[in-house]
């Protein structure tokens, strides 16, 4: 028996996120990003605010070097994050508007920054980061895609299983209108539980900006712009990393 119904990786399907993208897969990347935070900050980096922290998979590595505070929009993801990292402080909030009235040595927004789909939203997220940075602190952002790295109609699949479920996760990235700042991420889930197949789908609109836009937004916020490239040795993909230092 099959079903085809809208769902969300960050609410009813949040359990699948841990299977598809387990915490250990974030270790190498988290270490490299932490080294850049230390390199570019003008103060010792001891505290970190992670906006869009998701299920806490980056935090699992980052908390070994830093006092981490995480913020995410979705309660189901925060529940997973709290289970994985009971020693990390988590808050429900929107990266465009949240104010914790506290400052940190570094603020990061990794893959979650993709949910900023207009330049205005990107500016709001950068303003949130700036409001939470100590002088000399650093903002580090790493979107999954920029206009320079985007590949039309790219499709991947991942197969995973635990003692209850066999899961196939298919992801497709498509930009129907290259003149705007959005593209579509479409996810299909083939979930087999005790021989019964359930098919779920989820669609996200994600932001797509040129590197020059990232630079302008960071500079217009009054932060000193820096950039790096993260090369993922497992997938051979290059990610653009955008940093802003607060003076
Ligand atoms: C791919 S997950 C991030 C996973 C994360 N890197 C980890 O280590 O587990 C993307 C997250 O962005 C969050 N998100 C999307 N829009 C947001 C917003 N406006 N403010 C805060 N979080 C947001 C979603 O709830 C989701 O948990």
């Amino acid at each position: 028996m099959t079903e085809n119904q809208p769902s969300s990786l960050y609410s009813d399907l949040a359990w699948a996120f841990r299977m598809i993208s387990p915490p250990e897969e974030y270790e190498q990347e988290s270490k490299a990003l932490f080294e850049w935070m230390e390199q570019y900050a003008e103060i010792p980096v001891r505290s970190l605010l992670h906006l869009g922290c998701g299920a806490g998979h980056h935090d699992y590595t980052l908390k070994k070097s830093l006092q981490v505070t995480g913020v995410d929009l979705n309660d189901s993801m925060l529940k997973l994050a709290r289970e994985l990292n009971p020693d990390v402080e988590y808050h429900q909030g929107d990266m465009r508007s949240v104010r914790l009235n506290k400052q940190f040595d570094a603020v990061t927004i990794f893959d979650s920054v993709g949910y900023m789909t207009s330049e205005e939203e990107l500016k709001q997220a950068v303003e949130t980061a700036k409001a939470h940075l100590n002088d000399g602190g650093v903002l580090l952002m790493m979107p999954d895609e920029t206009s320079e790295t985007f590949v039309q109609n790219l499709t991947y699949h991942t197969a995973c299983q635990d003692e209850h479920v066999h899961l196939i996760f298919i992801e497709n990235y498509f930009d129907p209108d290259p003149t705007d700042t959005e593209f579509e991420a479409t996810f299909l889930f083939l979930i087999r539980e005790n021989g019964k197949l359930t098919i779920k789908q989820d669609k996200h609109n994600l932001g797509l900006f040129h590197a020059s836009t990232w630079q302008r937004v960071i500079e217009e916020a009054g932060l000193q712009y820096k950039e790096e490239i993260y090369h993922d040795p497992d997938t051979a993909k290059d990610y653009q990393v955008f940093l802003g230092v607060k003076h």
Side-chain angles (χ1 to χ4, degrees), residues 10 17 26 50 52-59 71-74 77 93-96 111-112 115-116:
Y10 305 139
F17 185 79
Y26 293 75
H50 182 183
C53 60
H57 292 191
H58 281 106
D59 303 340
V71 170
D72 199 273
L73 203 51
N74 282 295
M77 296 300 273
D94 188 321
M95 68 174 83
R96 293 166 294 188
D111 38 3
S112 316
Y115 288 92
M116 303 298 103

Side-chain angles (χ1 to χ4, degrees), residues 8-11 17-18 21-23 26 29-30 50-60 62 71-78 80-81 84-85 90-98 109-116 121 125 144 187 204 206:
S8 172
L9 181 56
Y10 305 139
S11 53
F17 185 79
R18 182 138 298 158
S21 198
Y26 293 75
E29 175 183 308
S30 299
H50 182 183
L51 298 170
C53 60
H57 292 191
H58 281 106
D59 303 340
Y60 188 66
L62 292 168
V71 170
D72 199 273
L73 203 51
N74 282 295
D75 281 332
S76 304
M77 296 300 273
L78 286 169
L80 287 172
L84 183 67
N85 304 307
Y90 286 108
H91 300 271
Q92 198 272 334
D94 188 321
M95 68 174 83
R96 293 166 294 188
S97 55
V98 69
I109 325 177
F110 302 132
D111 38 3
S112 316
V113 77
Y115 288 92
M116 303 298 103
E121 287 190 333
D144 276 349
F187 302 148
H204 298 237
L206 299 173

Side-chain angles (χ1 to χ4, degrees), residues 98-99 101-103 126-134 246:
V98 69
R99 294 293 181 270
N101 299 317
K102 211 173 156 187
Q103 272 70 44
V126 171
E127 281 303 326
T128 297
K130 186 183 169 188
H132 291 91
L133 270 180
N134 286 321
K246 184 175 177 185

Side-chain angles (χ1 to χ4, degrees), residues 217-235:
V217 168
I218 288 170
E219 287 178 346
E220 282 177 5
L223 303 174
Q224 187 188 0
Y225 177 77
K226 306 278 179 188
E227 62 183 37
E228 288 286 353
I229 299 282
Y230 175 68
H231 178 76
D232 184 333
D234 297 327
T235 60

